[in-house]
């Protein structure tokens, strides 16, 4: 199963789980920080699985494939996980390291995290407004980034992020590997390898995911016909749109639209 691209429309939001859980392999262009309030939770980042215990944290940089895997062994207390997912542009002016560097090891043990930062994770759950949310996030990140061993982003690590950003901005066009190759000056086979090696997903599958996510947002928010939405999303035929959409959402655009309308 390929990881899927998760389109984030919000600049910053919180995920709060009071149980160990599974969340499939995915990636997005936001920074993600997970903290284990209690219990235990497995998190896979790249090819490595980390087990978060009470007080541990993990910082996942943008466009890094990751997943949450249920901790299925006995644990003395129930699991509670807090995750902050934020747009790097929101924080980069004051924390430039999140743009220019990456961590050699994203995992941070509890004994390295200050009591103030642990408290901030608990406080952020009950935030009152976005300003308060951003404030707590700055407190948390400023501490965690000082603990992580950060190294400058080299070209091989930075290129996937640039390509993903390019696709996000141009997915409505008739994009191909050759277009990406010419835009960035690399051989098409290298771009193909980059997607499979770094993002663990073929280029066409990724592009289809981005287009399908956009199409789904249009189905939810507008009264446009599916044909209009298909072509606005970058598909050159309705059949291709239906096939890719079903592959991504496990239902056809028509079924998705009907399900959305039934919830209104």
């Amino acid at each position: 199963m390929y990881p899927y691209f998760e389109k984030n429309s919000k600049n910053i939001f919180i995920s709060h789980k009071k149980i160990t859980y599974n969340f499939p392999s995915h990636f997005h262009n936001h920074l993600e920080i997970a903290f284990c309030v209690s219990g235990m939770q497995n998190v896979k980042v790249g090819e490595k699985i980390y087990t978060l215990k009470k007080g541990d944290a993990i910082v996942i940089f943008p466009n890094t494939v990751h997943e949450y895997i249920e901790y299925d062994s006995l644990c003395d207390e129930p699991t509670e996980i807090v995750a902050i997912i934020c747009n790097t542009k929101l924080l980069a002016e004051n924390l430039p390291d999140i743009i220019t560097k990456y961590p050699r090891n994203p995992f941070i043990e509890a004994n390295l995290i200050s009591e103030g930062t642990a408290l901030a994770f608990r406080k952020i759950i009950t935030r009152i407004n976005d300003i308060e949310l951003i404030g707590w996030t700055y407190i948390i990140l400023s501490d965690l980034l000082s603990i992580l061993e950060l190294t400058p982003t080299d070209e091989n690590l930075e290129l996937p992020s640039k390509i993903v950003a390019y696709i996000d901005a141009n997915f409505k066009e008739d994009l191909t590997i050759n277009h990406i190759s010419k835009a960035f000056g690399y051989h098409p086979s290298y771009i193909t390898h980059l997607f499979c090696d770094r993002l663990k997903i073929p280029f066409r599958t990724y592009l289809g995911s981005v287009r399908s996510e956009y199409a789904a947002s249009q189905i939810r928010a507008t009264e446009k016909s599916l044909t209009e939405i298909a072509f606005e999303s970058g598909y050159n035929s309705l059949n291709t749109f239906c096939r890719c959409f079903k592959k991504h959402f496990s239902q056809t655009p028509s079924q998705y639209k009907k399900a959305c309308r039934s919830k209104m």
Side-chain angles (χ1 to χ4, degrees):
M1 184 69 180
Y2 294 126
Y4 72 93
F5 175 73
E6 185 178 45
K7 191 74 172 178
N8 293 309
S9 57
K10 296 181 180 179
N11 276 327
I12 184 166
F13 60 100
I14 302 296
S15 172
H16 182 207
K17 304 288 185 181
K18 291 189 175 181
I19 187 172
T20 182
Y21 69 106
N22 292 312
F23 194 88
S25 181
H26 67 290
F27 61 99
H28 46 68
N29 54 11
H30 281 36
L31 186 77
E32 185 167 334
I33 313 132
F35 178 75
C36 186
V37 178
S38 63
M40 303 180 83
Q41 172 74 51
N42 289 325
V43 183
K44 185 177 182 181
V45 181
E47 299 298 325
K48 187 171 182 178
I49 296 176
Y50 301 88
T51 299
L52 271 63
K53 301 181 289 295
K54 183 177 181 178
D56 292 342
I58 195 162
V59 182
I60 305 164
F61 272 47
N63 300 312
T64 300
V65 176
H66 58 288
E67 66 179 299
Y68 289 83
I69 304 169
E70 184 176 359
Y71 186 83
D72 56 5
S73 299
L74 292 176
C75 187
D76 295 334
E77 58 182 353
T79 297
E80 182 177 358
I81 300 291
V82 178
I84 307 168
I85 302 97
C86 54
N87 190 329
T88 54
K89 293 179 181 178
L90 188 68
L91 308 168
E93 183 176 350
N94 296 306
L95 297 171
D97 282 352
I98 62 177
I99 297 294
T100 60
K101 297 181 181 180
Y102 73 99
R104 291 187 183 278
N105 179 359
F107 178 74
I108 303 174
E109 294 182 350
N111 64 308
L112 299 175
I113 298 174
S114 70
E115 290 183 10
T117 299
L119 175 63
F121 274 111
R122 293 177 175 87
K123 287 286 188 180
I124 207 168
I125 300 169
T126 58
R127 74 202 186 283
I128 298 173
N129 53 54
D130 284 350
I131 294 175
E132 187 179 7
L133 173 57
I134 293 169
W136 285 120
T137 301
Y138 268 119
I139 290 171
I140 291 167
L141 263 180
S142 60
D143 183 35
L144 297 188
L145 291 178
S146 69
I147 297 169
L148 290 171
E149 182 185 355
L150 297 175
T151 185
T153 303
D154 63 31
E155 185 178 16
N156 290 332
L157 288 167
E158 191 176 8
L159 184 58
S161 295
K162 289 182 178 180
I163 293 175
V164 165
Y166 181 85
I167 293 172
D168 288 350
N170 296 281
F171 67 87
K172 295 180 182 180
E173 307 299 325
D174 185 22
L175 285 184
T176 65
I177 281 287
N178 286 334
H179 288 129
I180 303 296
S181 172
K182 291 178 181 177
F184 289 91
Y186 288 88
H187 194 277
S189 62
Y190 180 74
I191 302 297
T192 300
H193 169 76
L194 197 65
F195 267 86
C196 293
D197 182 57
R198 286 294 314 284
L199 300 179
K200 312 300 180 185
I201 183 172
F203 165 76
R204 296 301 305 180
T205 303
Y206 172 74
L207 178 59
S209 297
V210 174
R211 286 172 170 168
S212 295
E213 287 285 350
Y214 176 79
S217 72
Q218 292 297 293
I219 291 173
R220 293 192 301 268
T222 74
E223 295 299 326
K224 296 175 183 176
S225 70
L226 293 180
T227 300
E228 285 181 283
I229 291 173
F231 285 99
E232 284 184 11
S233 302
Y235 293 100
N236 55 17
S237 78
L238 192 58
N239 286 338
T240 303
F241 168 51
C242 292
R243 184 177 68 252
C244 290
F245 193 96
K246 185 174 182 179
K247 182 178 181 180
H248 187 64
F249 286 101
S250 299
Q251 56 184 327
T252 66
S254 297
Q255 291 170 333
Y256 185 87
K257 183 174 183 177
K258 184 177 180 180
C260 290
R261 297 299 180 268
S262 67
K263 296 176 182 178
M264 301 176 90

